Amino acid sequence: MAEAAEAPAVSRRRRLTPERELELLRVTAELIGEVGYDGVTMAAVAERAKCSTATLYRQWESKPRLVFSAWKAQGSTRGVDFSKIDTGSLRDDLAAFVRYLVADDPAKELFASVPAAIARDGSLMEILREVLVHPLLKDFAGLFEHAVERGEITAGNPVIALADRIVFGSWFAQDVLHGTPATEEQLVAVVDTVLMPALTAHHRAAG
């Protein structure tokens, strides 16, 4: 895929305003929904958004980064901001996190063609991880940092390093093993019966 390559050199200009950036991402999401991932080009986005392709390349470097950023932006517009979860309790933070994780995604149909593109081109997965997955994992790790600061768990608790596998693994496994999406109730049960007992048991033992 030619557009997955590095962007052409462009002149340095002032950055986009947040409003203009969201507008370009919205236009990208609309095009993905209309013609699919393969049908979208930087030129097509630029034409509809009334900007230059240089602007797009300067901001996002490549088509995959633009597309995945548009996908991430759709989550932001529906009020999902994992970085702001702070209920004062690790258990409630985790419950809020998984609630957002399984919330209905109105943009899912717009980006339905993206997984097939990833399956064809393995290099897209690395960009997906960088743009979408790694920030999500960072926000997830932040929940445990807050819990350490509150004294709920210790920083050296080894269960912390396994927590993402426990929660995200359960999320993916439900679909893979049983063919149905995970529900909030199922993931909260994982938090309450698996993750929290493991975290607190080690905390008590260490104390």
Side-chain angles (χ1 to χ4, degrees), residues 16 50 104:
L16 298 173
K50 295 181 172 56
D104 184 48

Side-chain angles (χ1 to χ4, degrees), residues 127-149:
I127 301 175
L128 175 68
R129 291 192 184 102
E130 178 186 334
V131 176
L132 288 174
V133 178
H134 291 169
L136 183 63
L137 292 177
K138 181 180 179 181
D139 291 338
F140 186 68
L143 304 184
F144 298 93
E145 293 172 3
H146 295 156
V148 169
E149 293 168 0

Side-chain angles (χ1 to χ4, degrees), residues 16-39:
L16 298 173
T17 64
E19 294 77 14
R20 180 57 170 160
E21 181 176 333
L22 283 176
E23 182 183 359
L24 296 181
L25 294 174
R26 177 186 56 78
V27 167
T28 301
E30 289 176 352
L31 277 172
I32 289 287
E34 292 172 13
V35 302
Y37 179 87
D38 292 335

Side-chain angles (χ1 to χ4, degrees), residues 7-202:
V10 293
S11 60
R12 296 180 61 84
R13 301 176 186 173
R14 66 183 180 85
R15 291 181 60 83
L16 298 173
T17 64
E19 294 77 14
R20 180 57 170 160
E21 181 176 333
L22 283 176
E23 182 183 359
L24 296 181
L25 294 174
R26 177 186 56 78
V27 167
T28 301
E30 289 176 352
L31 277 172
I32 289 287
E34 292 172 13
V35 302
Y37 179 87
D38 292 335
V40 168
T41 64
M42 299 292 260
V45 174
E47 180 179 2
R48 178 171 295 194
K50 295 181 172 56
C51 70
S52 67
T53 55
T55 295
L56 299 178
Y57 279 114
R58 182 174 63 250
Q59 191 76 9
W60 290 286
E61 299 182 7
S62 67
K63 169 182 162 178
R65 292 180 189 279
L66 173 60
V67 170
F68 295 142
S69 296
W71 199 345
K72 182 178 181 180
Q74 292 301 305
S76 299
T77 58
R78 64 188 174 100
V80 178
D81 189 345
F82 294 100
S83 67
K84 293 184 178 179
I85 294 176
D86 189 1
T87 67
S89 155
L90 177 58
R91 184 271 171 193
D92 291 342
D93 283 354
L94 290 167
F97 188 95
V98 300
R99 185 178 306 118
Y100 284 135
L101 203 60
V102 301
D104 184 48
D105 183 0
K108 181 168 57 179
E109 291 187 5
L110 291 178
F111 294 90
S113 62
V114 177
I118 295 172
R120 291 193 304 272
D121 183 354
S123 67
L124 297 182
M125 181 56 73
E126 282 304 311
I127 301 175
L128 175 68
R129 291 192 184 102
E130 178 186 334
V131 176
L132 288 174
V133 178
H134 291 169
L136 183 63
L137 292 177
K138 181 180 179 181
D139 291 338
F140 186 68
L143 304 184
F144 298 93
E145 293 172 3
H146 295 156
V148 169
E149 293 168 0
R150 291 192 295 261
E152 291 183 83
I153 55 176
T154 56
N157 192 318
V159 182
I160 295 174
L162 302 173
D164 58 350
R165 278 78 166 175
I166 294 170
V167 171
F168 289 91
S170 300
W171 181 36
F172 289 123
Q174 176 63 30
D175 190 26
V176 173
L177 298 179
H178 302 286
T180 57
T183 66
E184 177 185 342
E185 291 75 16
Q186 289 170 333
L187 293 187
V188 169
V190 169
V191 169
D192 286 339
T193 64
V194 180
L195 185 53
M196 287 304 301
L199 285 164
T200 54
H202 187 276

